[in-house]
Amino acid sequence: MLTGRLSLRRPQPGDIDAIFAVHSDSQACAHNPSDMLTARTEAENLFQRWDEHWQCFGFGYWVVRRRVSETQLGFCGLKFIQFRQRRILNLFYRFAPSSWGQGIATEAATEVVQWAATRLPGHPVIARVRPGNLASQRVAARTGLIRAEHLDDRGFDGLDWIFLSNWPQHEPGGLV
């Protein structure tokens, strides 16, 4: 998948070091400390879970890099999760701090949300964001996801603020 500045591709075994680098960075995981990795073997296991999702569904998390470089900036994508008794798409984005503040996360996440709207239109997309993570809140909003306070939920690391699209209007928790 290509955007104006970025290339998004399926992770490969050669990306395990980049997975470890981003997911072992205390800044990158500051709002989600339970996601922080401490050993390369954890990155190998994370890659395996990502790859299994790709094998089952034909999509998942993508490696994000600039179109003119092979350096991985981070990861962005979707995976199926259960939320409020529904199978939904969880939007994920995590980037190396060196790429922050350049619109990279917004550009990648917007492309991913548009991809979902085109290819998986029947599935709601949510982003679960910590109340203190203002940058992540801005990314979610800029992708077109709408803040849905009535769906806020307890996550592994505390309260998750929910941003969503495509939530059915006729179901409990639907947008008003």
Side-chain angles (χ1 to χ4, degrees):
M1 205 169 6
L2 298 174
T3 71
R5 299 179 295 164
L6 305 174
S7 170
L8 288 74
R9 66 163 173 78
R10 181 179 177 170
Q12 303 294 320
D15 297 314
I16 291 172
D17 287 334
I19 293 169
F20 182 64
V22 171
H23 288 83
S24 65
D25 186 290
S26 60
Q27 280 184 284
C29 296
H31 295 281
N32 302 89
S34 67
D35 290 350
M36 192 159 162
L37 304 181
T38 58
R40 189 178 188 283
T41 55
E42 294 172 321
E44 293 167 0
N45 292 336
L46 185 56
F47 168 78
Q48 284 301 112
R49 289 194 305 274
W50 290 3
D51 194 54
E52 287 169 9
H53 193 279
W54 271 95
Q55 289 175 35
C56 288
F57 304 108
F59 70 92
Y61 295 160
W62 284 273
V63 174
V64 180
R65 63 177 181 81
R66 291 186 190 277
R67 289 176 77 166
V68 297
S69 170
E70 289 299 315
T71 302
Q72 295 95 338
L73 304 172
F75 308 92
C76 183
L78 301 161
K79 76 173 181 179
F80 281 119
I81 65 167
Q82 287 297 123
F83 180 77
R84 305 279 172 121
Q85 292 79 47
R86 289 191 61 82
R87 184 176 181 189
I88 58 102
L89 295 165
N90 184 71
L91 174 64
F92 170 81
Y93 40 92
R94 178 162 295 136
F95 290 87
S98 61
S99 67
W100 292 359
Q102 302 169 42
I104 304 272
T106 298
E107 188 172 332
T110 298
E111 184 70 19
V112 167
V113 169
Q114 290 172 353
W115 181 93
T118 301
R119 289 177 179 79
L120 301 165
H123 294 282
V125 174
I126 71 165
R128 299 172 298 162
V129 180
R130 296 288 172 272
N133 193 343
L134 300 178
S136 187
Q137 292 171 35
R138 285 190 295 271
V139 169
R142 288 176 181 152
T143 69
L145 301 184
I146 299 167
R147 177 79 172 92
E149 295 91 353
H150 62 288
L151 293 175
D152 290 351
D153 201 24
R154 199 101 188 112
F156 290 116
D157 296 311
L159 181 65
D160 284 332
W161 278 9
I162 303 300
F163 291 77
L164 62 80
S165 71
N166 203 28
W167 193 266
Q169 300 289 327
H170 62 278
E171 290 190 17
L175 294 176
V176 189

